[in-house]
Amino acid sequence: MHSRERPNLRNEKSCPLSAAHTRLRQAHDLWHSTVESYPFPDDFVRNLSNLVVTLRQVTFMLQTQKEKIIDFDSWYESGWRPKLKANPLMAWLHNARTKIEHVGDLDLESTASVSVISDWLDGPYAEFEVPPHVGPEEIATNFEAADLPDRVRREGLLRVERRWVSSDLPGQELTDVCAYGYGVLATILAEAHERLGVRMQTFGGESHEHRHKRQLQSGGRLPCMVVTRETRTAHLHLASGNIIEMERESSALEFTPDEIEAFEKHSESMLVDPQTALSFTRDQDPIDVGRQVSSYACRVLAHDGYHWPTALFLDDENRLISITKMHFGDQAEKYLAFRSLADDAERDGATAVIQIGEVWQAFISHDELSPEMRRASERADRTEALQVVVATADGKEGTFVTPFTRDRDDRPVLGATRRGRLSRQINASFLPLKQMWARRKQHDA
């Protein structure tokens, strides 16, 4: 969640609420220490306890400086405090701090949730407690799945997610709870800065760069605190028995001089300026943005002879945030890649995703529709196409499909691009992304 920026604010030169903001920065550092100590019970419990106490101190420190803040009582005491009490996660953090300081350690459990991924969304296959020192890879390789259909054994993945939970907050992973709490407190503190006429900025260390760089911090979680599942999850390929390390290349649009030079040479040879082709206006309809991307992607395909599976992430003003190159070798890895797509969008705060890739197509009659039907890639009558899919957090979606053949030199010969709606298969592959947006909307409500 983000505070609404007011006009006529200036960037702070020194923090006017340094005591509270220092606690927030310390909470960020402690959160990472807690995540890193996940496999080590004693370290995890100690770091989590320190993190919970430090989060609670943010509002304590804020209240000691309330005389600085305009209309503090109406803004915080009558506004934010009732919201915090009514929020079950924030209430748990409040009570957990009291228990830690006055009663003792929290009642924690280490569990493993095991799921079989054989589709775009997976349900729990089994859930059980495990010793805290056992990592997800060891659980995955020693887990014996029950009888499974042949297609699942051929294309499926075994997903093992380790979690620390509290007995009085079932179903909630604790580092996620603390990251959520940090986001709420950051939003409160950003609003407090605005009431003093300044924009809150990070201290600099939050960027995890060797050189500290202060950046605008408008509330909510920091990008590094959004996705934690990857650090505590392992995926076992059922057919090969191997642990999958998901490979993807993500760029926050910051390039080295050599990369810029290579990019410019490639663009010059295509006779297309990508900065113009991939620049969009804030009032542009997301579907029109998709059409523009489709036109550029067709040019890339015609020039290079192929188009690597790629995802573009945009914010609510159609600004390009980042680009991710997707890697998957088979259907099982494709299931995982689209889950990772949702994780990347959540991390970057994207409100629109445009996915580009080459696909196989085949006509399927109504009589062939069944869970066991052959995919287009398995059929002799398949054809190729370049597909651009647009999906937004507010429910807008569409596709642009350009069929193509190849000449005797294996060069693409492109047909006419047509706009369409998301097919059942495309819609299914984007379900993890849609669920993430629905979950984020519920949290921000």
Side-chain angles (χ1 to χ4, degrees):
M1 58 183 68
H2 299 278
S3 57
R4 185 173 299 168
E5 187 173 325
R6 298 180 179 183
N8 303 320
L9 296 177
R10 66 184 188 279
N11 290 336
E12 59 177 9
K13 293 183 179 179
S14 61
C15 183
L17 301 170
S18 58
H21 202 166
T22 296
R23 294 300 191 280
L24 189 70
R25 178 184 59 79
Q26 291 170 344
H28 165 259
D29 294 341
L30 282 167
W31 183 87
H32 281 286
S33 297
T34 304
V35 171
E36 291 167 2
S37 64
Y38 219 91
F40 311 107
D42 291 341
D43 292 343
F44 181 86
V45 173
R46 180 177 63 254
N47 286 327
L48 179 69
S49 297
N50 290 336
L51 172 57
V52 169
V53 171
T54 302
L55 285 171
R56 185 68 183 91
Q57 289 174 345
V58 173
T59 51
F60 283 160
M61 294 298 102
L62 185 63
Q63 290 173 76
T64 65
Q65 297 175 291
K66 65 180 184 179
E67 70 281 353
K68 294 184 177 181
I69 301 171
I70 300 173
D71 296 329
F72 180 86
D73 288 340
S74 61
W75 167 70
Y76 182 80
E77 297 295 344
S78 301
W80 270 108
R81 187 183 289 277
K83 293 179 184 178
L84 296 176
K85 287 185 176 180
N87 185 316
L89 297 185
M90 298 305 294
W92 182 87
L93 286 170
H94 178 276
N95 295 334
R97 172 260 170 190
T98 302
K99 185 174 182 179
I100 290 168
E101 293 201 330
H102 299 291
V103 179
D105 290 335
L106 301 172
D107 186 11
L108 305 180
E109 301 171 350
S110 177
T111 68
S113 176
V114 182
S115 305
V116 173
I117 298 176
S118 59
D119 208 332
W120 303 106
L121 293 175
D122 56 296
Y125 179 79
E127 187 167 4
F128 50 87
E129 291 188 29
V130 294
H133 63 276
V134 178
E137 292 88 351
E138 185 177 349
I139 297 169
T141 53
N142 289 293
F143 182 80
E144 292 186 5
D147 292 337
L148 295 172
D150 289 341
R151 181 182 284 269
V152 174
R153 287 194 174 278
R154 187 173 66 252
E155 299 180 350
L157 297 167
L158 193 68
R159 177 180 183 272
V160 181
E161 179 188 346
R162 276 286 312 281
R163 295 193 304 166
W164 278 99
V165 297
S166 176
S167 59
D168 57 355
L169 193 66
Q172 298 285 349
E173 197 282 321
L174 293 178
T175 59
D176 278 347
V177 172
C178 291
Y180 173 81
Y182 175 98
V184 173
L185 295 171
T187 299
I188 293 174
L189 200 53
E191 288 188 7
H193 278 71
E194 289 181 2
R195 287 180 169 270
L196 296 175
V198 296
R199 300 183 186 92
M200 184 171 75
Q201 292 185 296
T202 63
F203 277 85
E206 290 90 337
S207 64
H208 300 277
E209 298 174 357
H210 295 297
R211 180 182 178 184
H212 288 187
K213 180 181 179 181
R214 300 196 74 190
Q215 298 174 328
L216 180 66
Q217 187 174 5
S218 57
R221 305 186 198 186
L222 293 168
C224 59
M225 301 176 71
V226 172
V227 179
T228 64
R229 291 188 298 273
E230 294 179 4
T231 60
R232 49 187 169 83
T233 301
H235 293 92
L236 179 75
H237 196 293
L238 287 172
S240 67
N242 296 325
I243 296 291
I244 293 181
E245 296 291 341
M246 197 62 214
E247 181 184 359
R248 63 186 188 274
E249 302 172 25
S250 182
S251 169
L253 307 181
E254 296 180 0
F255 305 101
T256 66
D258 288 344
E259 288 173 330
I260 293 174
E261 183 180 359
F263 191 62
E264 289 176 345
K265 287 182 178 179
H266 182 259
S267 303
E268 184 178 348
S269 67
M270 285 201 309
L271 304 178
V272 175
D273 179 9
Q275 290 187 341
T276 301
L278 298 179
S279 295
F280 321 112
T281 64
R282 62 182 300 176
D283 298 326
Q284 202 169 349
D285 186 278
I287 304 302
D288 290 335
V289 172
R291 181 181 289 106
Q292 188 173 329
V293 171
S294 175
S295 178
Y296 179 69
C298 286
R299 188 70 190 93
V300 172
L301 175 63
H303 179 271
D304 295 350
Y306 66 92
H307 199 300
W308 198 271
T310 306
L312 279 59
F313 300 93
L314 285 75
D315 65 12
D316 54 6
E317 294 187 356
N318 288 331
R319 290 176 297 200
L320 188 58
I321 304 171
S322 62
I323 301 174
T324 293
K325 184 182 289 186
M326 304 170 69
H327 297 263
F328 42 84
D330 58 18
Q331 189 64 30
E333 293 184 1
K334 193 172 184 179
Y335 291 142
L336 190 54
F338 275 84
R339 284 171 170 76
S340 298
L341 190 72
D343 288 342
D344 289 344
E346 184 174 11
R347 178 202 63 211
D348 292 343
T351 56
V353 172
I354 301 176
Q355 198 270 332
I356 312 163
E358 297 178 37
V359 297
W360 292 110
Q361 292 187 315
F363 175 76
I364 299 174
S365 67
H366 179 75
D367 294 338
E368 293 179 282
L369 293 176
S370 74
E372 297 300 318
M373 70 179 181
R374 287 186 301 162
R375 294 188 176 88
S377 59
E378 302 169 333
R379 298 172 61 109
D381 60 344
R382 65 190 184 185
T383 59
E384 290 185 277
L386 180 68
Q387 176 179 271
V388 173
V389 182
V390 185
T392 71
D394 59 3
K396 291 184 178 180
E397 55 189 36
T399 64
F400 295 90
V401 179
T402 308
F404 66 92
T405 57
R406 293 186 180 272
D407 62 20
R408 286 186 294 183
D409 296 324
D410 202 34
R411 301 294 304 172
V413 179
L414 278 61
T417 300
R418 66 180 186 276
R419 178 187 168 183
R421 296 181 179 180
L422 270 62
S423 66
R424 185 177 68 169
Q425 181 72 6
I426 301 172
N427 190 62
S429 65
F430 273 73
L431 282 175
L433 184 66
K434 293 180 179 181
Q435 282 198 343
M436 180 277 293
W437 277 327
R439 185 173 63 250
R440 191 169 68 183
K441 184 178 181 180
Q442 185 178 19
H443 282 172
D444 291 349

